[in-house]
Structure formats: structure tokens, C-alpha cells
Amino acid sequence: MDVVRPPVGAGEPAVFVAVLRPLEVLVGGRPVKVPGRTRRALLTALALHPNRPVATADLVDRIWTGRPPRRAGLTLRNLASGLRARLPDGPGWRLVVTDAYAELAVAPDAVDLLVARRLAAHGRAAARAGRPAEAAVLMRRALGLWQGRPAADPAWPEFAALVEERLTLLEDRLDADRAAGRLDEVIDEAMGLVVAEPLRERLHLILMQALRDAGRPGEARAVYDQLRGTLADSWGIDPGPELQALWRSLADPVVGRPADPGPQDASVLMFRLRGFAEVAAGPEEEAALRDGWVGGISRHVEHAAGRLALVLGGTVVALFPDDPGGRRAQHAATAVRQAAGAAGPDPAFRAAGRVTCCAAVVSGPAPTSELLGGDAPTLVGVALDRCAAVLAAARPGEIVVVGTR
């Protein structure tokens, strides 16, 4: 089995940890064994959140899966001491342990997760700058660091988050390859992926766009029809607005002709988050907690074809154009509640169970122009006011749905 090597750069890090595959540790470029399941679990849990404090309670949950020893804090310190003995602090590598948290402070090239995210960020920047071929190369390098199953235990929320992160990056790379003209390769790969991920709308969108660009509109429409049936059977919803617009353009002999959508049913989803200050050890941790929750909410909103419109303190507002009855907004709210559930919280929703969350959904007719205002969509008037009023009366954990008619 090949050893994962750190990327070639200005200098090789003294310690390198790979977590995007079964745990691998290099010291001075040579493999080092970390004995003991609990010690490896501690290192993995910290390397999955490099340069960020991880609460002691969260580490205990990860290492002992709900059955901690009687003196878990002391045992955790002993595990950390054992790690230091094999991976001593040095330039670009430091293990910090306190009663409240532990942190792995590392150089940018010391953990493969950091390297992959940096490559992905450069690739996305290249795509935004109109250099899709370069973007695809960078994203392909990032994806190459995922080798087999991640080091996280499948029961950990980080495992599901890494799977989602890889899929999102894979979609970005396919889109860059499509923009670079590699249509046959994109179509072949995406055809297999939509079978494995039948509910993933963006994969279907990229496949439809590639088929359209390759002069195969009939096949693109067939992909849409298949997705529409799957979504209706699974969630009782239709494909999102971007997919619908693409389908309409494929069905219209005058492709690309702008249509006047007129009034449409739209939804506002508003979350109220409370408890960050009480849970956090200080302002920095409070901000990190809030940012994590907002990021997690944003991911579920976008997956349901919505967009964040406003974040103000503990209030988060999302908009869903063309959403009859608020079904997409309800799906996003339910997904957030499940992801933040005590049975298996998403890593974005740290301190789940101690941070309270409730949501309100208001749906009704609204002009498209109010919802799709470029990079900063806005919605004003009765729907937003009604949603705020409904949310004020909601109880923690509750999702309230009303209409404006």
C-alpha cells in the first residue's frame, strides 16, 4: 500500500497526518505507528479539526462512543501525553490540551485535509476567474488525497461531513471539466454518479448541461424526467428552479429565450438560534460555534435549492423561489433539525442539545425579482414580517409552517 506523502513545497512538515484515508502518520517523511485505538481516535478527532479547539465533551463522545471511563478528563490527558511521546511538539506541530478543550495547532501542509481544502479553494477561484481547465486540474489533485474510506469512525458526524465535502468538490470538478469542453468524459462519469446519488440535484444539473452542450437535448430531458419522478416519490417535491429553467429551455425551440416567470409561490425560512454565549468559553469560541451552525444551515438550504439572505446574530433567513406550499423550505428545516439531533450531530452543529434552534416557514405568492437579487437576494413585505412573527412564538426544536394567503 502506498504511503500518502505530503505535497512538495518549500519544506516537508516535521509531522504529517492523513485522515482522508485510514489514519497515516509520517515523521520526517517516515511512517510512524500510533498504537492503541483510543490514542488513534484522539489524533483523528483533532486532525479532522486542525487549528480549531475541540471541546473535551466532544472528544469524549468520539473516543468512547457514549460510554466514557469514570475519569474521562484524566484519561484524555494521559492519551495526549502518549501522543506527545511519539509526535513531540515542534515547528508546525503542537498539541494543546486544557480542561475545556484540546487543539492540534499545525502548519498548512501538516494534515492532508488542510492541503485538500487549499487546493479546492484555489481551484474554485480559478473557475470563478474563467480558467476551468486549471480549476479542474487543481480540484483533481485535491480529490486525489481522498484514498479509500476516511479515518473518521463511520458513526462520527465528521464521516458524513467528509463524504459530503468530497461529493461537493467532485461536482465542482465535473462542472469545471464541462466548462473546459471535456463533455464525453463528464457525461460518462456523471451518468454513473447519478445512479449512485439519485437525489443529488446538482449532479443531474451538470449532466443535463453536458448533454445539452454535446447536442443531446433529448437525453438531457430524460435525465430531468427521471429526477423529477425520484424526487416526487422520495420527498414529494419538484426539481429546483435552475433545473426547471434548464428543462424549459431544452423544451423551447428558441433556446435561451428569456421568459417572464410572473408571480410565483415562494417561501421564507427563518431560524432562531440561542445558547451560544452560555455554551462557549469566550467570544472567539462563541463566534466559531455560530459560524459553524450558519455554515451547516447554508449547506442544507442550498441542497434544497434555496439561498441564505440574511444572518443577524442568532437569526438566519433563507429564501426559496418557486416553492409551492413551502415544501423545499420545510425539507431544509427538517434536515437541519435531524443533522443537529443528539443521535448523530453534524460537526457543523457543535454543542447540539445545548444550543436551541427553532424554525418558521412562510409561503405565498411573491415576484421573482424580490427573490433573485443577484449575490444578495432580498425579500421584503408581508412574508418576511409574518415569518418573524411566527418564529417569535415557536418553541425550541419546533418547525412552524404557514401561508400568506
Side-chain angles (χ1 to χ4, degrees):
M1 182 179 294
D2 293 335
V3 174
V4 176
R5 298 290 178 184
V8 176
E12 187 177 83
V15 180
F16 178 77
V17 178
V19 291
L20 298 179
R21 56 161 290 165
L23 182 67
E24 187 90 38
V25 181
L26 305 179
V27 176
R30 296 181 176 276
V32 170
K33 184 176 181 180
V34 177
R37 184 200 66 80
T38 53
R39 192 173 290 129
R40 290 194 300 273
L42 173 60
L43 177 58
T44 299
L46 292 174
L48 288 169
H49 302 279
N51 300 317
R52 290 184 59 184
V54 182
T56 298
D58 291 336
L59 290 171
V60 169
D61 284 343
R62 302 295 185 274
I63 296 169
W64 289 287
T65 59
R67 293 185 293 273
R70 187 172 303 171
R71 302 179 69 183
L74 178 60
T75 305
L76 193 63
R77 285 182 173 274
N78 289 337
L79 290 175
S81 296
L83 274 182
R84 283 200 188 95
R86 289 184 173 268
L87 309 173
D89 290 351
W93 180 273
R94 187 163 67 96
L95 176 59
V96 178
V97 181
T98 72
D99 290 337
Y101 69 88
E103 179 179 355
L104 195 59
V106 297
D109 288 345
V111 179
D112 63 348
L113 181 59
L114 289 176
V115 178
R117 286 174 175 169
R118 187 169 69 252
L119 287 168
H122 290 329
R124 287 166 177 144
R128 289 193 298 270
R131 303 191 303 273
E134 176 188 341
V137 168
L138 289 165
M139 293 178 195
R140 195 170 279 105
R141 286 178 59 195
L143 287 165
L145 292 172
W146 265 271
Q147 299 183 22
R149 199 178 77 177
D153 188 297
W156 293 5
E158 287 89 345
F159 185 89
L162 285 175
V163 171
E164 173 65 25
E165 184 173 344
R166 180 185 175 277
L167 275 171
T168 300
L169 179 58
L170 179 56
E171 290 170 338
D172 290 341
R173 196 268 297 162
L174 281 169
D175 202 29
D177 275 332
R178 181 191 65 81
R182 303 177 67 177
L183 300 180
D184 290 342
E185 295 175 35
V186 170
I187 290 169
D188 288 345
E189 187 174 358
M191 283 286 193
L193 289 169
V194 296
V195 174
E197 299 288 342
L199 296 171
R200 204 163 179 92
E201 294 192 40
R202 191 178 175 215
L203 275 176
H204 288 78
L205 177 65
I206 294 167
L207 175 56
M208 287 178 64
Q209 290 171 330
L211 287 167
R212 175 203 60 193
D213 296 347
R216 297 156 63 178
E219 293 175 67
R221 289 195 296 271
V223 169
Y224 178 89
D225 291 339
Q226 178 67 40
L227 173 63
R228 181 170 57 184
T230 303
L231 288 175
D233 292 342
S234 301
W235 293 341
I237 61 176
D238 293 323
E242 192 172 1
L243 277 158
Q244 292 184 33
L246 176 56
W247 179 83
R248 284 194 297 268
S249 75
L250 293 168
D252 191 333
V254 185
V255 176
R257 181 176 62 191
D260 178 12
Q264 58 177 296
D265 274 357
S267 297
V268 181
L269 169 58
M270 188 177 295
F271 290 92
R272 185 181 68 225
L273 309 174
R274 296 288 185 270
F276 295 116
E278 291 77 8
V279 171
E284 290 187 2
E285 186 180 353
E286 179 183 351
L289 277 172
R290 183 180 292 107
D291 289 346
W293 277 71
V294 171
I297 289 172
S298 177
R299 188 173 69 248
H300 289 291
V301 164
E302 291 176 2
H303 189 67
R307 295 178 66 183
L308 286 196
L310 175 68
V311 178
L312 184 62
T315 301
V316 182
V317 181
L319 306 177
F320 294 80
D322 195 12
D323 186 24
R327 290 179 295 177
R328 288 184 172 279
Q330 292 176 58
H331 175 71
T334 301
V336 168
R337 182 170 62 184
Q338 292 174 344
D346 186 300
F349 302 106
R350 292 171 53 212
R354 291 175 286 172
V355 172
T356 62
C357 173
C358 58
V361 176
V362 171
S363 63
T368 304
S369 59
E370 289 184 342
L371 288 163
L372 300 178
D375 293 334
T378 59
L379 179 66
V380 296
V382 63
L384 190 60
D385 292 343
R386 182 77 181 278
C387 199
V390 171
L391 186 65
R395 297 186 297 271
E398 188 176 26
I399 300 173
V400 183
V401 182
V402 299
T404 58
R405 289 185 176 87

